[in-house]
């Protein structure tokens, strides 16, 4: 489910960032115009939240996995070892 959610949400991120940046920048110039940009940013961000909530509501979108600190430490050790081997193989 997460690849689909990312494909749906990713195209909206630049617009959210742009309208948020515009709102902050315009607030130093003229507050009423900044409020319009902020409303646009809010609408985009709200749409992102709705898309994520929709995808999260799909059955089996996430499955609980019982892991302890030993599993997490082992996973990161395996990841670090894999990266080290990959880097050595490249040079």
């Amino acid at each position: 489910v997460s690849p689909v959610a990312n494909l749906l949400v990713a195209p909206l991120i630049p617009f959210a960032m742009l309208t948020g940046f515009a709102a902050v920048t315009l607030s130093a110039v003229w507050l009423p115009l900044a409020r319009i940009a902020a409303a646009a940013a809010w609408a985009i961000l709200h749409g992102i939240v709705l898309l994520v909530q929709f995808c999260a509501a799909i059955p089996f979108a996430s499955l609980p996995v019982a892991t302890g600190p030993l599993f997490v430490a082992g996973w990161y050790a395996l990841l670090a070892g894999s990266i080290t081997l990959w880097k050595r193989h490249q040079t």
Side-chain angles (χ1 to χ4, degrees), residues 6-76:
N6 285 328
L7 286 172
L8 293 172
V9 168
L12 300 175
I13 300 298
F15 298 108
M17 293 175 64
L18 180 65
T19 53
F21 177 76
V24 170
T25 304
L26 290 170
S27 69
V29 179
W30 193 43
L31 196 55
L33 191 55
R35 287 185 178 144
I36 294 170
W42 178 87
I44 295 167
L45 291 170
H46 185 65
I48 290 171
V49 169
L50 290 176
L51 281 170
V52 170
Q53 287 175 340
F54 173 78
C55 290
I58 295 172
F60 301 107
S62 67
L63 299 173
V65 178
T67 59
L70 217 60
F71 175 82
V72 173
W75 175 255
Y76 278 110

